[in-house]
Amino acid sequence: MELFVADYNGHRLTARDVSDRANIPPTVLSRWLIHLTEIGFIVGDGDGNLDDLLTLSGKALDSIEAVMSKANELREAVS
């Protein structure tokens, strides 16, 4: 979500920024970056370098927007 909000606001974050903001241990985030790159959610070289600027892929943005849309539908259904 950090990357989604940053992207929406026209900002880019490094993995280290995300690690610090979300209090995620760097080693854990590095492994997740490799995985997210492999499944096509992060655009990059997939080496888990915490100083790289991160970019969400179109696939990731579409997936997040779909989840948020569904959440909004559910919220409206119970209102």
Side-chain angles (χ1 to χ4, degrees):
M1 290 308 297
E2 288 282 349
L3 291 177
F4 183 79
V5 172
D7 182 76
Y8 178 82
N9 290 316
H11 302 289
R12 296 195 57 206
L13 300 175
T14 66
R16 193 168 311 281
D17 294 332
V18 174
S19 175
D20 292 344
R21 290 176 182 211
N23 199 29
I24 300 169
T27 54
V28 172
L29 185 56
S30 181
R31 287 191 303 269
W32 270 103
L33 289 177
I34 292 167
H35 174 70
L36 291 170
T37 301
E38 288 173 355
I39 64 171
F41 276 27
I42 299 285
V43 176
D45 56 18
D47 67 0
N49 183 343
L50 295 181
D51 294 315
D52 288 346
L53 284 171
L54 301 177
T55 303
L56 289 174
S57 69
K59 177 181 176 181
L61 292 171
D62 290 346
S63 295
I64 293 169
E65 289 171 0
V67 167
M68 294 179 77
S69 177
K70 185 63 175 178
N72 189 48
E73 288 174 24
L74 293 170
R75 182 187 58 79
E76 289 176 358
V78 296
S79 296

